[in-house]
Amino acid sequence: MEWHYIMPGKPTQNAFVESFNGRLRDECLNETLFTSPANARSILATWKHDYNTIRPHSKLGGRTPAEIAGKRGWVHAPNPVAIPSTMSHQSLGLYF
């Protein structure tokens, strides 16, 4: 596996992620004063729930991501590829 970084000054190489990051920043992060890590987790979980299950998206024909995922038989998003630094490959049963 190789890392492929976006070149500096070229955010359009991954416009989807840049759009999402901007929306998260504008709608949640810039508007909220977090008082603790637990408070940040709670607020971000609420925003994520709203974004994925309540808010319709124009690119999805006015449907929510949860509606689209339900039609494909998905219960949740796929497991993340990256492993948090607090976990080891051995503890997850992954051997490379």
Side-chain angles (χ1 to χ4, degrees):
M1 180 188 321
E2 295 179 31
W3 286 100
H4 295 281
Y5 293 101
I6 296 173
M7 293 171 48
K10 304 283 185 184
T12 56
Q13 288 182 340
N14 197 343
F16 173 77
V17 172
E18 291 299 320
S19 174
F20 174 78
N21 287 346
R23 188 169 289 114
L24 173 63
R25 194 171 35 254
D26 291 343
E27 296 175 6
C28 185
L29 301 178
N30 290 345
E31 301 292 323
T32 308
L33 178 62
F34 301 111
T35 57
S36 68
N39 175 250
R41 281 187 211 96
S42 172
I43 290 172
L44 288 168
T46 301
W47 187 89
K48 177 183 168 185
H49 174 75
D50 176 67
Y51 186 84
N52 288 325
T53 60
I54 297 173
R55 182 187 313 182
H57 296 250
S58 61
K59 292 287 184 180
L60 299 177
R63 296 173 291 175
T64 66
E67 290 172 333
I68 299 295
K71 289 187 178 181
R72 294 185 181 150
W74 296 341
V75 177
H76 55 78
N79 291 331
V81 175
I83 297 171
S85 61
T86 57
M87 303 175 111
S88 70
H89 292 89
Q90 290 79 20
S91 69
L92 294 172
L94 302 174
Y95 300 97
F96 297 103

